[in-house]
């Protein structure tokens, strides 16, 4: 029996990225489930259409990236806290920042370059908008059934048992905070990407060797 389906959960992000002054919760151009034929819902990463010097985020990135031109987890945490991207919600934990970097760390350096930073910023805007839509009373948390609904809206086609396991993992006393919501979104996308790269026929079946499985999941 084929795996019940899995989506990108990330949306399509194209066009010019907003600057740091963008109001959080504002829609990112082109954001959406981005369904494509077959078992997966897809996403397109940010497409760089102009030079870095002209980018409104370049100066900000270079200020936090340091001499190596990349951002590690602690630098990303400071960056996101200073940017106000969490709004009235609690700032992101260092662990969430680590898995954010792991999601886009294609060269396994443990750091994030400028294009990856912009890609993350686009995803965070979309996830923040989704969370604010669910968190209608602005309590800073959402209920367990609302997280399940949000995961489905993002394009993931999961069994009730899998959804229940995810909700149990990321809820605290029956509620899900924004930091945990983002951590869940990041983990879903990273694990989906890891699986999809090995599912060449996109049928929901993959053969893993033990160490490949460990290396893939331990780096996320």
């Amino acid at each position: 029996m084929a795996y019940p389906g899995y989506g990108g959960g990330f949306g399509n992000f194209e066009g010019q990225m907003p600057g740091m002054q963008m109001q959080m919760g504002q829609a990112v151009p082109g954001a959406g489930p981005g369904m494509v034929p077959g078992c997966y819902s897809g996403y397109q990463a940010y497409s760089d259409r102009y030079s870095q010097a002209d980018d409104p985020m370049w100066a900000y990135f270079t200020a936090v990236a340091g001499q190596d031109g990349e951002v590690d987890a602690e630098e990303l945490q400071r960056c996101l806290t200073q940017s106000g991207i969490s709004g009235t919600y609690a700032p992101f934990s260092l662990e969430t920042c680590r898995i954010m970097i792991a999601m886009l760390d294609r060269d396994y350096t443990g750091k994030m370059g400028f294009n990856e930073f912009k890609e993350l910023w686009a995803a965070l805007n979309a996830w923040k908008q989704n969370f604010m839509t669910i968190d209608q009373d602005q309590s800073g948390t959402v209920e367990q059934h609302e997280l399940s609904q949000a995961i489905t809206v993002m394009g993931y086609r999961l069994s009730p048992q899998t959804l229940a396991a995810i909700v149990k993992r990321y809820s605290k006393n029956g509620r899900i905070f924004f930091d945990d919501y983002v951590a869940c979104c990041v983990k879903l996308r990273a694990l989906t990407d890891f699986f999809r790269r090995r599912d060449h026929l996109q049928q929901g079946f993959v053969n893993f060797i033990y160490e490949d499985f460990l290396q893939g999941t331990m780096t996320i």
Side-chain angles (χ1 to χ4, degrees), residues 33-70:
M35 299 295 291
V36 297
C39 187
Y40 304 97
S41 76
Y43 63 87
Q44 286 182 312
Y46 171 78
S47 178
D48 192 2
R49 295 179 179 174
Y50 50 91
S51 68
Q52 291 178 342
D54 296 328
D55 194 295
M57 298 181 69
W58 175 245
Y60 186 84
F61 176 81
T62 55
V64 299
Q67 294 182 348
D68 61 359
E70 293 188 314

Side-chain angles (χ1 to χ4, degrees), residues 20 57-72 74-76 78-80 82-83 117:
M20 296 299 290
M57 298 181 69
W58 175 245
Y60 186 84
F61 176 81
T62 55
V64 299
Q67 294 182 348
D68 61 359
E70 293 188 314
V71 168
D72 61 21
E74 292 183 355
E75 291 169 334
L76 179 62
R78 290 196 299 270
C79 168
L80 296 179
Q82 293 169 6
S83 73
F117 177 75

Side-chain angles (χ1 to χ4, degrees), residues 103-118:
M103 177 182 71
L104 296 169
D105 186 16
R106 299 179 181 102
D107 55 1
Y108 302 104
T109 63
K111 297 183 179 183
M112 180 178 292
F114 181 53
N115 286 336
E116 290 79 18
F117 177 75
K118 289 188 296 184

Side-chain angles (χ1 to χ4, degrees), residues 30-214:
M35 299 295 291
V36 297
C39 187
Y40 304 97
S41 76
Y43 63 87
Q44 286 182 312
Y46 171 78
S47 178
D48 192 2
R49 295 179 179 174
Y50 50 91
S51 68
Q52 291 178 342
D54 296 328
D55 194 295
M57 298 181 69
W58 175 245
Y60 186 84
F61 176 81
T62 55
V64 299
Q67 294 182 348
D68 61 359
E70 293 188 314
V71 168
D72 61 21
E74 292 183 355
E75 291 169 334
L76 179 62
Q77 184 185 44
R78 290 196 299 270
C79 168
L80 296 179
T81 300
Q82 293 169 6
S83 73
I85 196 169
S86 297
T88 59
Y89 303 127
F92 295 113
S93 67
L94 187 59
E95 179 59 25
T96 298
C97 290
R98 287 193 182 103
I99 65 173
M100 287 180 189
I101 289 178
M103 177 182 71
L104 296 169
D105 186 16
R106 299 179 181 102
D107 55 1
Y108 302 104
T109 63
K111 297 183 179 183
M112 180 178 292
F114 181 53
N115 286 336
E116 290 79 18
F117 177 75
K118 289 188 296 184
E119 198 172 333
L120 174 64
W121 184 261
L124 286 175
N125 271 286
W127 290 330
K128 176 70 175 288
Q129 184 183 19
N130 292 341
F131 189 87
M132 291 174 66
T133 300
I134 303 169
D135 183 23
Q136 295 183 351
D137 60 359
Q138 298 183 346
S139 65
T141 63
V142 297
E143 296 181 6
Q144 298 184 34
H145 73 277
E146 293 172 324
L147 177 61
S148 295
Q149 293 172 359
I151 291 172
T152 301
V153 168
M154 283 189 284
Y156 293 97
R157 299 185 295 279
L158 306 175
S159 69
Q161 294 83 359
T162 302
L163 284 171
I166 293 171
V167 167
K168 183 178 180 180
R169 165 67 177 81
Y170 289 99
S171 62
K172 297 175 181 175
N173 298 319
R175 308 288 293 182
I176 296 94
F177 291 82
F178 180 58
D179 178 74
D180 291 318
Y181 172 80
V182 171
C184 175
C185 291
V186 171
K187 198 82 169 181
L188 276 171
R189 185 202 156 175
L191 287 172
T192 297
D193 284 351
F194 172 71
F195 194 98
R196 184 188 344 225
R197 286 193 299 269
R198 289 154 178 81
D199 184 12
H200 303 297
L201 298 178
Q202 298 192 359
Q203 294 181 338
F205 290 102
V206 173
N207 289 323
F208 287 108
I209 63 170
Y210 179 58
E211 296 228 350
D212 183 34
F213 170 78
L214 285 181

